[in-house]
Every structure is written in C-alpha cells, then in structure tokens.
Amino acid sequence: MLKINREYIEKLKLLIEDEKDQELLSLIIDLHPADIAEILESLAMDDAKYLYLLLEGGLASDVLVEIPEDDRRRFLAELPAEIIARQYIEYMNTDDAVDVLGELSEDKQEEVIAYIDDLEYAEDLSELLTYDEDTAGGIMAAELVAVNENWTVQTCLKEIGRQAEDIDEIYYVYVIDDQNILKGVLSLKKLIQYPTQTNINNIYTRDVISSKTDAPRDEVARKMEKYDLVALPVIDEMGHLKGRITIDDVVDIIREEAEKDYQMASGIMGNVSGMKIWKQARARLPWLSIGFAGELLASRVLGSHESTFVIIPGIAFFMPLIVAMGGNVGIQSTSIVLQKLAGRSNDRETLGYKLLRELVVALAMALFFSILLFLFNHFTGNNKVLTYTVSVALFIVIIFAALFGTLFPIILNKMKIDPAIATGPFITTTNDVLGLLIYMSIGQYFFNLFG
Amino acid sequence: MLKINREYIEKLKLLIEDEKDQELLSLIIDLHPADIAEILESLAMDDAKYLYLLLEGGLASDVLVEIPEDDRRRFLAELPAEIIARQYIEYMNTDDAVDVLGELSEDKQEEVIAYIDDLEYAEDLSELLTYDEDTAGGIMAAELVAVNENWTVQTCLKEIGRQAEDIDEIYYVYVIDDQNILKGVLSLKKLIQYPTQTNINNIYTRDVISSKTDAPRDEVARKMEKYDLVALPVIDEMGHLKGRITIDDVVDIIREEAEKDYQMASGIMGNVSGMKIWKQARARLPWLSIGFAGELLASRVLGSHESTFVIIPGIAFFMPLIVAMGGNVGIQSTSIVLQKLAGRSNDRETLGYKLLRELVVALAMALFFSILLFLFNHFTGNNKVLTYTVSVALFIVIIFAALFGTLFPIILNKMKIDPAIATGPFITTTNDVLGLLIYMSIGQYFFNLFG
C-alpha cells in the first residue's frame, strides 16, 4: 500500500540502470502484485522486463496475471512452453491460468499443458479451456471446497483444512452428494458455531443459487450482483458441481461492460487511456470515418437542394438545430432501450409497449420544442415559409429520431449483433443524413405550397 | 430463484383482489428478498403495498432494503417512528439501517433511533450517521468480527462463534490490540488449519489493506477492485477499527458510477428505465433544452452571415460535416480525459502532457480528414473557395474540439464540479456553436481573399 510517485519510479530507473538487483528486489518484493504491475506499467518496456525477471515463483505469476493483456501476450510469445508451464502457470489458480492460456495459440496451449507436472491440475485446465470464455464455465475456477452431505462437522473441518491448501480464501463450503451433485451450501460460521459431532445434513442451506456452465457471463454478473453473492457455484446440465466464480472476477466484468458501453457511446474502440499516440488515433479513427462518410453523403443530399438554399438562405441557419435535436433525442432513446436490453432493469414490456411509450414521450417533446421554435421565429420576424418549415421539420425529425433510436438497437439485438454499436457516432450520423433529407424535403414542399 | 413471468404476476393480482393472504404468503415467503422486491415493483402501488404488509420481521426489512429508494421513502413517510424502529430498522445490519435512516428527515432519524431498544445498536447507528454518505464511514457497517492479537486459535474460535450471531457472513477476522487498533487480518482458513493452542500472533497477516473513515467512496471502490478484496476494514485517524465495507455495496457503487457517466453522455438525468412517461420526459428535457438554446444561438450566428450563403450556397452543404466532426472528436477527447480524471487508469501525466498528446493525436486526425475532404471536393469539381474553406475549417475545428474537449472537463474538475457534465449534449452544443463560428469566419475570409 504505497503511493507510487515520480520519485519512486525515478529511483527504480536508476537502480535498474546500475543493475542493483538486490536493492531493487528489496524495494518491491513486499508490495502487492497489483502494485508491482502498476509500477511495471509506468516503466519503459525494457526496464519493466528487467525488473519483472527479478521476481520468482508465486509472486512472478501473481504479477503476470495483473499486467495488461497486450503486455502479457508479448512477453509470453517470447517464452518456450516449458518455462510458461513450470514458472508461471503451475503457480496460478485455474481461472487465472485459463485466462492466460486463452491468450496463446491452441497449439501452444496444448504444449504448455503437456509440461504441467500436476496431472489433476492439467486435466482441470484442459476441461476449463473447452468452455466459451463469455460463459460461466469460461470464468469459473475449479478450486473449491466441497463436503459430502453425510459428513459431520468434525469430518468437514478436517477435510476443509486439507482441501483449502490450494485455495486463497474460502467463502462458502459447497455440499454435494456421492455423485458430486450440488445439494446446498454451508457457511464457515455454522461450522464454527455447531458442536463437532453435528451431522451437516441438519445445518446446511438447501436453497443454493447457482449458474449453469453455459450461462452468459453478464447473466452471472447480474445474478451475483442482485443476490449479493461473494461466490457462485457453477453446475453442468445434470447438476454436477464443476467450479465456482468469485466476485472479484465479476467486478472486472461489470466494470468492463460499463466502460465498453461508454466508449462505444463516445466513439472509441477499446480502452485508450495510457495508449501510445498512434494507437490512440487508431482507436478513434474508425468511428470518425463512419461519421465523415455519412456527412459527405449529407453534403450530397444538401447539394441536390441547392435551389432551395438560393431562394430561402435562412433554411441553412436552422440546419444545425434540426440535426442536433434529432441527434440528441436519438441518443437518449438508444441509451434507454440499451439499458433495457442489457437487462439492468426489469423488462417485462413488449416491443409494442416500448415503442408506444417512446412515441408518447417523443410526441410531447416534439410538440414542446416545435411550438417554442415557432414562437421564436414568429417573434423574431423570420419569413413565413421558413417559420413553418423549421417547426414542422423539427417535429417530424424528433419523432423519427426517437423511433429510429429505439427500434435500431432492438433490431441489432434480434440479429444477435451487439446493440451498443448503435450508440455514438453511428446513430448521430444516420440521424443527421435522414434528418436533413426530411428537413429539405419539407422546405421544398412548403416553398412550392406558399412560395 | 424463479423466473418472474406475466402469469405469476397475474396470479398474484387475482389473489390480492380476493384478499387470499395465506395463499399469497405461501407463494412468496420462500423467495429471496431481491426477488420479492422485483415482484413488488411490477405490481400497481396499492397491490404492492397490500402484499408487502403481509410480510413480517426480518423478511419485511430485507425486502425494504431492496426496493427502490423513491418507493421506500414514500412508504416510510406514512409510518410513525416507533413502527419504523421496531418493525424495520432493528432487524437490519447497521449499513442498511443507516442508508434507510439517511432517507428520513433529521428529526425523524433521531425519533426512530430513540425507539430502538438495543442501546449498543442505537449508538452504532448514531455514530455511523455522522459520516458523510459519500465516504468510507458512510457506507461501512459496524458489524464485524475482531479478535485480540494475544488470543489463541481456540479463544478466537469461541469468540467468533459468539460475535458472529449478528453477522450474515464472515469473510475476514480482524486482529486488534487492547486499544482496538487494527493490527492485521486472520483468515478463517488458517483458524481451521492450525492447532487450537496456537497463538494467533504467529499466524495472522500484518499487512492489511484498510481505508480511513473519510476516504471518498469511489476511492474505496477502486481499492477493493484493485486488490480483489471481499471486505475492507475502515479505521479512524488514530488507527482504531471502526467498521468494514463489503464488496456487495461496492459493486452497487461501481455500477452506479458507470451508469451515471453513461447517462450523462446520453443526455439523461437519472435512471429512467421503467419510469412513468411524464417523469421520463422530465429527465430528458433539461439536456435537450440546453441543446435547443445553443442551436438557436447558432442560427443567429449563421443569420449574421446570410450574404455568404447567398454568394456560396455550397457552404451550407458542409455545415453538418464540420459540426459533426467537431462534435465527435470533442466527445472522444472528453471521454478519454474523464476516464483519467476518474482515476480508472494510472494518471501520472501532467496537464501539459495530456494536452500535448491530445494535440498530436488531433493534428494527425485533422490532417487526415482535411486532406481527404480536399481530395473529395477537388475531384467532385466543387468551387475553389469552397474547397479551401471547408478543408481549412475542418482542420481548425477538429484541433479546437480536441483541445476544448480535453481542457473543459479538467477545468470543471479543478472547480470541484463533476466533470462528467461536460459530456453529451453540452460539449456537442458548444462545439456546434463555436465550430460554426470558425467555419463561417473562414468562409468569409477566403471569399474576401479569392472571391
């Protein structure tokens, strides 16, 4: 628990330069692996590698798990399978090991597993690797403490002491029958409170919340969040206990999903903070390019209405307003429907009801702003055709943007495409182009009518 | 763990109508409080109240904690202090009780606490209520298991069994000295593994991660996330152990903060999913109104350049492009700097470095898109003044938007204003108005030069 500051980093840099290994080690060896990873991140690549290679055994593996995926991938790519297996993977919990193995090619995965001496552990890894990484099976660990429903408190305590060797922390003890079917859960508190000869059959909780191995990971996250669980047992189709998921992994998932949505909405692909300049530009260019192409299209649409601009130049003055209102309403609608699709709120509404509600809200907002705009133009003495055009166009564009912003993510979701891509520059650009088309058409229509 | 579906809700509605209390109770009494809360939310207010009042004691309190704050506030407002104290608060953990009490007026808080029979519990609540709700003290619970550093494993186990009466689940046992100073942490695993006569002084972990009572709650969340903690002890300035924070509360904080940012970026105030139509419109109107006002201003800016539109109507065609590119770049820059300000990534960069990096990225992007636009206009045969105007304007607007989008949240942050308000419609609207001003000025300048 130290504050990593500039001076500390500078000190490390000097020691690395002078190759003072013992002094370096004494400075970092007592730190938490997460802190060491943070230090490595703030050093230049070569310095970080030098420092990291001073670490050994369990600490080296713990730090490896904490560093960013890109760096780890690059580091492991240079190492032979035997080193990866014996110096890193063997020290890890199965869930971390599977994450790291998942970053290697399939051939290398097999090679690494073949070098692992603990056969039971190797087998666990092979099985865990068969699960999709976005499912409960893909994030669970095989390490857990399980006791038989027929045991006494005393047998359980003895057995737990033995099993717990491999496990950092015990949160729950799972109760299984002779066929390894999950029957319930037993709290350590009860084991401590009850007399040693008590049969656990009388004290364990039968109502245990679990997930199937193929449950999507965000469903797992929501379940643990809703029921305030610290660990969740994972079972197969038959009810056999296969592993457990701990809350720290779920916290990462919650954070990741929330940040992904936010980045999508901001038009950034991936996590750019701390990225090198070129990589950062690359993460931002795709969305900007979509916007750019869309707006070039818009310029062509507008170009085909050149005569309208010549006759009523005022129509140009309100283009930003029409476009911005459509865009803002569209983003709101999309983000509301996305929250529902992500299941963060109870969603027992039908599609029809969603659209209807959005329509009513949109009608109210469209009416409000159109009237406001009409009054503004009326009292600032703008020309009559323009006054009607912009108010009617604003009304239609708001309704259109709300419905499009609601429907589009739903359609993407039905097509099994991540609906979050509907946010950000994508929805704004589409709204821009279609909104301008609506605006200019109405302008032309009114001009033909009144002009 | 049931799937709450339409039929189930319909069944409940009928039973409520017929006042079949026993049948109703048998249907819901075995459910998890979080599920019961979800059922209540999907019933009409009167039905929900009827069903809720059938519940008693611990279950009623557990459900009360799970329902949305607005509903709870409304429900409690109608109840006398004595009922709130004896039927609800007394059954809760201190952290939940403090959350609920925090929703009452200060007078009513005192009244409720005066009715609590367990004096030690009442005292804990009074003390917890003195902490700011956005700090570690405000979210911690007083319930915890602590043992003295001089005890043996046997004494500890006995004492833990006694203390654990009040606590749902034990994750860590804290070790204190005679003055209640936090010395370390002891895992239940070790207590089970070591012989009963072992002095815990030899087995407890001295390096314990803790927070001060006045630490901001998002700092607590980040700490627990970084170090993968399930519970965090909270100490005062002198090191006295005051309480502990559990991960389930922190998960809620992480979710809340992430959703708040996302909603801000989408221009929505508060959580609108499931809201009534009128409330939803109200949550969306403020940002839309800011956008509306800004764009009306933009229309005046454009109006003052009417002559330019008459001479080069083509300048209108590229307005949406200039505005959109400025807006999109601005949103990206803001969201990147917000991630840094929120401390979600290591931030050892100075302000100057942040701006410099953003400037370099912006220069690269501005150059890329300006050249692309120049080529597009050149080959589609647009007029020369227009071609130069839009490319130069695009270049300047992108740089401006990037710098403004970076600086603005930093300035807000320095002024102790939540920098997240810089996102969404606010930054886009400002960019729109200033971007158009830049665009039209350059247009006029080039026209005077070449026209």
Side-chain angles (χ1 to χ4, degrees), chain B residues 58 192 204 362 419:
Chain B
I192 291 173
Y204 81 79

Side-chain angles (χ1 to χ4, degrees), chain B residues 325-341:
Chain B
M325 292 302 284
N328 290 344
V329 168
I331 287 177
Q332 288 183 337
S333 306
T334 300
S335 81
I336 289 170
V337 78
L338 279 179
Q339 279 185 19
K340 291 190 183 155
L341 290 176

Side-chain angles (χ1 to χ4, degrees), chain A residues 265 320 323-325 327-328 331 424-425 428 432, chain B residues 264-267 287 290-292 294-295 298 320 322-332 334 397 400-401 404-405 408 421-436:
Chain A
V323 159
M325 292 301 284
N328 290 344
I331 287 178
T428 353
D432 279 12
Chain B
M264 287 257 198
S266 327
W287 276 136
I290 292 174
F292 185 76
E295 302 299 344
I322 300 284
V323 159
M325 292 302 284
N328 290 344
V329 168
I331 287 177
Q332 288 183 337
T334 300
V397 165
F400 169 79
F404 179 70
F408 189 57
I421 67 159
T423 50
F426 194 87
I427 197 97
T428 351
T429 307
T430 317
N431 266 325
D432 279 13
V433 178
L434 297 176
L436 286 171

